[in-house]
Amino acid sequence: MRKTIAALAGLLALAGCSSNWQGDVSFKVAEFYDHKIDESGAVEKRVRLEPVGSLPEDAEQDQLKGLSVQEHEIAGTVGVNDGVVCAASYESDRTTLSGCKKA
């Protein structure tokens, strides 16, 4: 029983290590793709972004990998490998991007 309690305490400590953060993050445009949004076949144009450079304090690379935004959510026209800067926030195990603009 004591081993079980010790193991659970360790898991709870690890789960608490993830902290909330926010800040500007630099990305590069990795690709454009069509994302199917419903069963009717409707699609939206999305842009997959990859982080580059330094990250906000407490941010981890895995929290920012593979994120995407709708193409119209980026101010300015961008192409593959162009730089983009977004306001990013991480809360409740979810990263949100907003205010994206061409760098």
Side-chain angles (χ1 to χ4, degrees):
M1 183 69 164
R2 287 184 181 177
K3 288 182 183 180
T4 303
I5 292 171
L8 288 174
L11 288 174
L12 288 174
L14 286 175
C17 289
S18 180
S19 62
N20 298 338
W21 54 264
Q22 61 183 12
D24 288 340
V25 177
S26 295
F27 294 92
K28 90 172 174 179
V29 174
E31 72 173 331
F32 292 84
Y33 65 96
D34 291 330
H35 175 72
K36 185 177 173 182
I37 57 176
D38 60 31
E39 294 302 316
S40 73
V43 297
E44 64 184 12
K45 187 65 98 176
R46 296 197 63 86
V47 180
R48 187 171 60 82
L49 303 171
E50 291 298 328
V52 295
S54 61
L55 303 178
E57 187 176 332
D58 295 330
E60 297 176 19
Q61 193 79 14
D62 288 348
Q63 297 165 336
L64 294 160
K65 280 188 175 178
L67 296 177
S68 67
V69 295
Q70 292 179 8
E71 185 176 20
H72 69 83
E73 293 179 306
I74 300 173
T77 303
V78 295
V80 173
N81 292 323
D82 282 349
V84 173
V85 176
C86 300
S89 61
Y90 181 79
E91 186 174 334
S92 302
D93 293 327
R94 182 176 177 190
T95 304
T96 305
L97 300 179
S98 62
C100 297
K101 60 187 175 203
K102 184 174 181 176

